[in-house]
Amino acid sequence: MFVLSFTDLIYSTSVGLTTLPMPTDVGEVYPAFAGRGFGTPLTCTIQGFISTSSVTFIAWVNISLSLYYLLKIRYQTPKEKLRKYFEPIMLVLGLIICLTFTWSYLRRQEINPVPYTPWCSGGDYPFACSEVDINLCIRGGNEKTRGGLEGFKTFLIIYLMIQLVPHAVCFILNYVSVRRREKEAEALQENQPQSPEIETHASSSRHNYSKI
């Protein structure tokens, strides 16, 4: 939970700067853009790199939490083993995946001002210029990746699938496991014979109640 809160703080701080790190020519490129930029392509890249990698890592941590509770509840994995093996492995693996993913945008110069968020994110500059004419691109403009609408749609679909599918599977497995244990506990309680002390106390209570 500390890692999740700390990463969320970093993400909120980066996007909280809104359009300030964007290049000063953002108003010329996007005339209808409400925000003003006071930065450079470098400051915009830094903001976009931090926000993109942190939000991706937040998604990974949420998945790790679902898997953690699945191992803890359904498979009853000892807490010491989870802390010693599971948590470090998921943390290191998440950092590698998220930084590699964001580095691919950085390498192609596709972290720029985009019209769909008030902070720097993944896309061509101007947005979707590679889908019209690559020569119009100030930054980005990769023919293979197409850092425009198609690339954004692909990223959004993959992100939602990564978020929804693992959570849904872990939730269903945990729910089935808990329900099964509840039924087993109820069946055990019903089949368990009452001790003589409990039966004597119950009959005495019924006798006293009948006198009243």
Side-chain angles (χ1 to χ4, degrees), residues 29 31 45 106-107 120 128 149 186 191 205-206 210:
V29 177
T45 299
L106 184 65
R107 182 173 53 84
C120 297
L149 290 174
E186 291 174 357
N191 297 330
S205 299
R206 287 194 297 269
S210 63

Side-chain angles (χ1 to χ4, degrees), residues 137-212:
C137 296
I138 301 174
R139 284 170 56 86
N142 194 303
E143 290 184 349
K144 296 181 179 180
T145 57
R146 298 290 184 182
L149 290 174
E150 293 301 322
F152 175 70
K153 291 177 182 177
T154 304
F155 168 77
L156 188 61
I157 292 172
I158 294 174
Y159 183 80
L160 290 176
M161 291 297 294
I162 291 175
Q163 277 286 76
L164 294 177
V165 173
H167 292 309
V169 172
C170 291
F171 174 79
I172 292 172
L173 291 176
N174 278 332
Y175 176 79
V176 172
S177 179
V178 171
R179 287 296 300 164
R180 184 178 67 249
R181 291 177 188 173
E182 287 181 349
K183 292 180 180 179
E184 291 175 354
E186 291 174 357
L188 182 63
Q189 188 175 5
E190 291 176 357
N191 297 330
Q192 186 177 7
Q194 289 186 331
S195 62
E197 292 81 2
I198 297 177
E199 292 180 356
T200 304
H201 180 72
S203 61
S204 176
S205 299
R206 287 194 297 269
H207 179 69
N208 293 334
Y209 181 77
S210 63
K211 287 183 179 181
I212 296 173

Side-chain angles (χ1 to χ4, degrees), residues 45-57 94-111 120-122 155:
T45 299
I46 293 173
Q47 182 197 35
F49 184 86
I50 293 174
S51 62
T52 304
S53 57
S54 58
V55 74
T56 309
F57 190 68
L95 287 173
I96 293 173
I97 292 174
C98 297
L99 292 177
T100 302
F101 170 76
T102 313
W103 176 257
S104 65
Y105 278 93
L106 184 65
R107 182 173 53 84
R108 299 191 302 264
Q109 295 187 341
E110 289 183 356
I111 298 180
C120 297
S121 187
F155 168 77

Side-chain angles (χ1 to χ4, degrees), residues 19 22-23 26 29-30 33 44 105 110-128 147-148 152:
T19 63
M22 291 184 180
V26 67
V29 177
Y30 302 129
F33 208 66
C44 181
Y105 278 93
E110 289 183 356
I111 298 180
N112 301 296
V114 291
Y116 56 83
T117 61
W119 60 84
C120 297
S121 187
D124 295 329
Y125 188 56
F127 186 68
F152 175 70

